[in-house]
């Protein structure tokens, strides 16, 4: 098993390019199932989740050509309409094949994802929406079996705001007979990125970026070339690396307009931030100030940045309350951070973080993707050596993380 070894205490200084967004690339790869034509996708990050998704699509019969960050997918013939448990359990986003597969091929068998480290994460909203569009769905032996001659447009009001739920239904609706309205849709920028890709493929979608998305179904979609948006969570993670270590960073090929809530909180913590359309510069001159925050669906503060911000608060002046409203079990990094001298108490869905003068290096264990990122950040600012075990979580979602951090002055290496 691979580990990351970090010698802490070096401020993060320099310039880094932000990769394509994992959470936009994954649904966009699945959009290839909606057409027999070639879909060329640019700026696809090299991540384990992307590789898992390509393996899944390949098994279904999608032809795949890759050339660095550019991929061409052709789903001319779909022959194996199954997403097996082995794949869905390692990457929940595999559920995103359900909507497009059903819409295009009229059938799909997708494993139920089951629980995961950060919470229960059911998929009832995906199923409810597809049933409203006329799909016959049965759950048997842990699998969703879905069938439909052709999906019909429907008026769907989501009970809760779900990102992949909205994406699955939006993709399915592009080929349905008639108009679908999704109310209480999630508004994450990655959903808009997927919608823009679908529009480039000939889909008729209105209300992109709002919580009411209207999709007029068409007979077929065609090929297109589409560039994936930059990763806002990778952006936020590097910003916190610089802020927590008292450094200065310039991020290029990013999208500050997708990070308003995170940038506001960083400024509240005392960071000086400048930005242009595709760049952000952050400078931290003083020790950070504690900042209260509450995660919620976009445009509020993202749950995927909660663990990282906790590290900043753990060395800030004062006490802060971090409230997690999206996932019920997303504080697993707390126990590990406490091993590094952080002063954090969890009460229900709130973590009370009292800033300490310094964190201490320790052996810690990564438990999920964003928790792993928080441990890397903690290791960067801690006194002495931190060894992070189970970093396969990190490789699911951060491209070339140790190379990028090394270029910024961090002393970090991978060991087996
Ligand atoms: C997506 C992101 C993930 C992010 C999360 C919340 C991808 C690939 N992943 O995950 O990085 O942390 O959004 O921003 O884009 N829920 C239900 N029923 C459903 C669906 C969801 O109860 O049918 C609940 C979940 O358990 C959770 C909440 O809704 O409590 C939000 O989950 P959701 O937005 O669906 O998360 P994902 O799309 O899985």
């Amino acid at each position: 098993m691979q580990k990351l070894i970090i010698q802490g205490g070096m401020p993060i200084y320099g310039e880094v390019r932000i990769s394509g967004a994992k959470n936009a690339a994954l649904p966009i790869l699945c959009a290839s199932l909606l057409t027999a034509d070639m879909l060329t996708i640019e700026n696809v990050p090299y991540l384990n989740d992307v590789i898992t998704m390509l393996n899944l699509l390949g098994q279904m019969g999608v032809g795949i050509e890759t050339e660095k960050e550019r991929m061409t997918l052709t789903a001319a013939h779909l022959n194996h309409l199954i997403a097996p448990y082995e794949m869905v359990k390692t990457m929940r986003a595999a559920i995103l094949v359900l909507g497009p597969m059903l819409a295009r091929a009229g059938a799909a068998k997708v494993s139920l994802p089951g629980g995961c480290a950060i919470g229960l994460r059911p998929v009832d909203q995906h199923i409810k929406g597809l049933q409203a569009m006329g799909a016959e769905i049965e759950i048997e032996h842990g699998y969703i079996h879905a069938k439909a001659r052709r999906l019909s447009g429907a008026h769907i009001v989501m009970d809760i705001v779900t990102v992949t739920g909205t994406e699955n239904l939006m993709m399915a609706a592009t080929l349905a007979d008639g108009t679908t309205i999704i109310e209480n849709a999630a508004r994450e920028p990655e959903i808009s990125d997927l919608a823009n890709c679908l529009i480039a493929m000939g889909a008729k979608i209105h209300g992109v970026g709002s919580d009411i998305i209207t999709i007029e179904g068409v007979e077929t979609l065609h090929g297109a070339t589409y560039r994936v948006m930059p990763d806002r969570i990778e952006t936020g993670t590097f910003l916190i690396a610089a802020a927590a270590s008292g450094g200065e960073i310039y991020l290029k090929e990013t999208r500050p307009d997708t990070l308003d809530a995170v940038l506001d909180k960083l400024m509240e913590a005392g960071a000086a931030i400048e930005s242009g359309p595709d760049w952000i510069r952050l400078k931290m001159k003083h020790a950070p100030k504690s900042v209260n925050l509450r995660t919620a669906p976009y445009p509020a503060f993202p749950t995927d940045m909660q663990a990282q911000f906790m590290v900043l608060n753990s060395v800030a002046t004062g006490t802060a309350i971090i409230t997690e409203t999206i996932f019920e079990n997303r504080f697993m990094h707390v126990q590990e951070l406490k091993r590094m001298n952080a002063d954090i108490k969890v009460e229900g869905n709130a973590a009370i973080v009292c800033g300490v003068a310094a964190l201490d290096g320790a052996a810690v264990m990564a438990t999920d993707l964003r928790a792993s990122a928080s441990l890397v950040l903690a290791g960067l600012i801690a006194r002495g050596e931190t060894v992070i075990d189970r970093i396969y979580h990190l490789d699911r979602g951060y491209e070339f993380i140790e190379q990028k951090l090394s270029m910024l002055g961090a002393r970090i290496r991978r060991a087996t």
Side-chain angles (χ1 to χ4, degrees), residues 81-105:
L81 305 173
I82 300 176
Y85 178 58
E86 292 65 40
M87 279 178 170
V88 184
K89 80 168 184 223
T90 55
M91 184 191 63
R92 288 180 43 87
I95 190 76
L96 284 165
V97 298
L98 176 62
M101 207 173 11
L102 184 61
R104 166 99 183 285

Side-chain angles (χ1 to χ4, degrees), residues 298-340:
Y298 191 84
F301 192 91
T303 175
D304 284 353
M305 285 300 304
Q306 180 257 106
Q308 301 90 314
F309 219 98
M310 192 178 286
V311 173
L312 186 62
N313 271 334
S314 68
V315 290
T317 320
T319 298
I321 299 177
I322 296 183
T323 312
E324 170 61 52
T325 75
I326 306 286
F327 293 113
E328 58 270 32
N329 191 24
R330 210 174 198 180
F331 282 142
M332 276 175 316
H333 43 285
V334 169
Q335 285 310 322
E336 303 302 304
L337 292 175
K338 282 170 83 163
R339 301 194 65 247
M340 299 177 73

